[in-house]
Amino acid sequence: MNLRTIIIAEAGVNHNGNIDLAKRLIDAAADAGVDYVKFQTFKSENLVSKVALKADYQLSNLSSQSGTQFEMLKKLELSIDDHRVLIDYCAHKKIRFLSTAFDLESADLLLSLGIDYFKIPSGEITNLPFLKKLAGFGKKIIISTGMCTYEEIESALNVVIGNGTPIENITVLHCNTEYPTPFEDVNLRAMQTMKNRFGVKIGYSDHTLGIEVPVAAVALGACMIEKHFTLDRTMEGPDHKASLEPSELEHMTTSIRNIEKALGSEDKFPSASEIKNKIIARKSVHLNKFLPQNAFITEADLTMLRPGDGISPMEMDKVVGKQVLVDLEENHKLTWEDLL
């Protein structure tokens, strides 16, 4: 049996700094049937310099081109009290809460809040103090690999494992850090290479438009899917345009669950639903003309017709050369009792 894919709905900063909007995102994630809804935890002062420029995708998704990355992020911070409110609301909605820390102080906060997984985002995979910090928690770790080479992934894994996290507690997510990611840049087969090369559980963090690629990733063996979502792609903010809307998130979740069922096992056998069609769809050996009693059957006397509850065409050679015991009409379905 295939393990159930963990689906993480990435709310990220799509709450726009508004706790009520964050709750509505939790509502949408719960309605879609995902496993986790995930936010982002950071102190802007610990994340970015006050003069750092915005990324191109951030500029293209914002109506105002002015201001620094610091100014943008400062408006999107969640306070400690916000975290507690959202965790309680998730419990009320019967969905699990996650958040990604982007600095050491925020990692400690999330540890104190008792979350299930700690995520190393793509931008922190070369941040040695951050890797050591999270590895030392002894918790399950998700490593996102946008912008990475295999050598960088291996280095990060060595640090995380070497500082206390066993490999069985690590899930490595294939990822592309462009919003939205062009399909030709997804390189989904690399996910399977990481599984084989590093011996880790693998998943996929998706930034493409639509749901095709995460569904395909599950078919290729992803055990975890992460996907950004929003209430409305036209909202102001850096990540809204590359996010799913609620109905699409629900569609993705349903599609993934269907793919899980469809993957089945490695055995090939008639399924319970198709066995009833076996007789109807297959053929049996029939006569294509009248044969009198004691006639010898030649291959030219035979035709293969439905239904398949008589002699199998695979046994036709055993029929040729036999004598018929009685007169047999054209289109007669042969049985072994007809033959001498």
Side-chain angles (χ1 to χ4, degrees):
M1 296 295 293
N2 298 287
L3 297 177
R4 191 172 188 270
T5 308
I6 296 170
I7 303 176
I8 301 171
E10 172 66 61
V13 294
N14 283 344
H15 51 76
N16 288 358
N18 183 312
I19 195 70
D20 291 327
L21 183 54
K23 287 182 176 181
R24 290 172 59 198
L25 285 163
I26 292 171
D27 291 337
D31 290 344
V34 304
D35 299 293
Y36 290 90
V37 58
K38 186 164 77 64
F39 294 89
Q40 294 180 6
T41 304
F42 54 86
K43 284 288 189 71
S44 300
E45 293 84 355
N46 300 332
L47 175 58
V48 62
S49 79
K50 293 186 178 181
V51 296
L53 300 177
K54 295 172 185 170
D56 287 344
Y57 79 87
Q58 293 170 339
L59 289 171
S60 65
N61 292 341
L62 294 167
S63 58
S64 173
Q65 303 297 296
S66 63
T68 64
Q69 191 177 156
F70 177 88
E71 292 169 333
M72 176 191 72
L73 291 173
K74 196 64 183 173
K75 299 173 184 176
L76 301 173
E77 287 183 13
L78 294 172
S79 69
I80 295 175
D81 287 341
D82 289 338
H83 281 77
R84 293 192 177 108
V85 168
L86 295 180
I87 289 171
D88 288 343
Y89 193 70
C90 282
H92 171 68
K93 298 297 292 188
K94 295 181 170 52
I95 186 172
R96 284 171 284 183
F97 173 92
L98 281 182
S99 190
T100 300
F102 286 83
D103 58 81
L104 302 180
E105 183 180 346
S106 295
D108 283 328
L109 169 62
L110 293 178
L111 180 65
S112 72
L113 294 172
I115 66 170
D116 292 345
Y117 287 90
F118 282 82
K119 185 181 178 188
I120 297 166
S122 296
E124 306 300 326
I125 199 168
T126 58
N127 183 345
L128 182 60
F130 189 82
L131 297 179
K132 288 182 175 180
K133 178 84 162 180
L134 267 60
F137 289 161
K139 301 290 187 178
K140 292 179 181 177
I141 294 226
I142 302 166
I143 302 177
S144 204
T145 60
M147 306 173 289
C148 282
T149 64
Y150 288 129
E151 291 73 23
E152 288 172 327
I153 298 167
E154 185 172 17
S155 294
L157 283 170
N158 288 340
V159 172
V160 171
I161 293 168
N163 283 272
T165 302
I167 193 168
E168 59 267 22
N169 283 359
I170 299 171
T171 304
V172 175
L173 303 186
H174 179 52
C175 178
N176 181 291
T177 309
E178 173 65 312
Y179 304 82
T181 300
F183 287 111
E184 59 270 22
D185 288 348
V186 170
N187 196 25
L188 197 53
R189 289 192 180 98
M191 181 183 71
Q192 295 172 305
T193 303
M194 289 192 295
K195 179 180 181 179
N196 296 330
R197 180 165 176 167
F198 303 124
V200 292
K201 295 190 289 289
I202 46 101
Y204 176 60
S205 178
D206 186 51
H207 299 134
T208 64
L209 297 177
I211 70 169
E212 300 98 320
V213 182
V215 173
V218 172
L220 289 175
C223 68
M224 180 179 287
I225 293 293
E226 180 182 272
K227 181 74 172 178
H228 283 261
F229 79 108
T230 180
L231 297 180
D232 184 347
R233 267 193 296 273
T234 65
M235 294 176 71
E236 177 76 8
D239 293 339
H240 291 287
K241 288 184 181 178
S243 300
L244 297 180
E245 292 185 344
S247 62
E248 297 167 316
L249 180 65
E250 184 174 2
H251 187 197
M252 184 193 79
T253 302
T254 301
S255 298
I256 286 172
R257 298 300 176 221
N258 287 340
I259 289 297
E260 288 173 340
K261 295 174 187 175
L263 285 172
S265 74
E266 294 180 353
D267 294 331
K268 174 62 179 172
F269 52 87
S271 71
S273 64
E274 70 178 340
I275 270 184
K276 65 182 182 299
N277 298 322
K278 194 172 180 179
I279 290 174
I280 296 169
R282 291 188 174 179
K283 294 179 177 178
S284 301
V285 180
H286 288 64
L287 294 178
N288 63 14
K289 63 182 181 181
F290 169 79
L291 284 184
Q293 182 180 11
N294 295 326
F296 287 91
I297 297 176
T298 68
E299 186 172 342
D301 299 326
L302 302 177
T303 187
M304 309 305 147
L305 300 173
R306 293 177 176 177
D309 57 350
I311 298 172
S312 168
M314 296 296 287
E315 297 187 284
M316 182 190 72
D317 291 343
K318 297 179 182 178
V319 173
V320 173
K322 298 281 189 182
Q323 277 183 288
V324 298
L325 295 174
V326 295
D327 290 350
L328 297 177
E329 298 299 322
E330 181 181 354
N331 286 332
H332 176 75
K333 180 176 63 182
L334 287 173
T335 68
W336 295 115
E337 289 72 26
D338 293 328
L339 308 176
L340 180 61

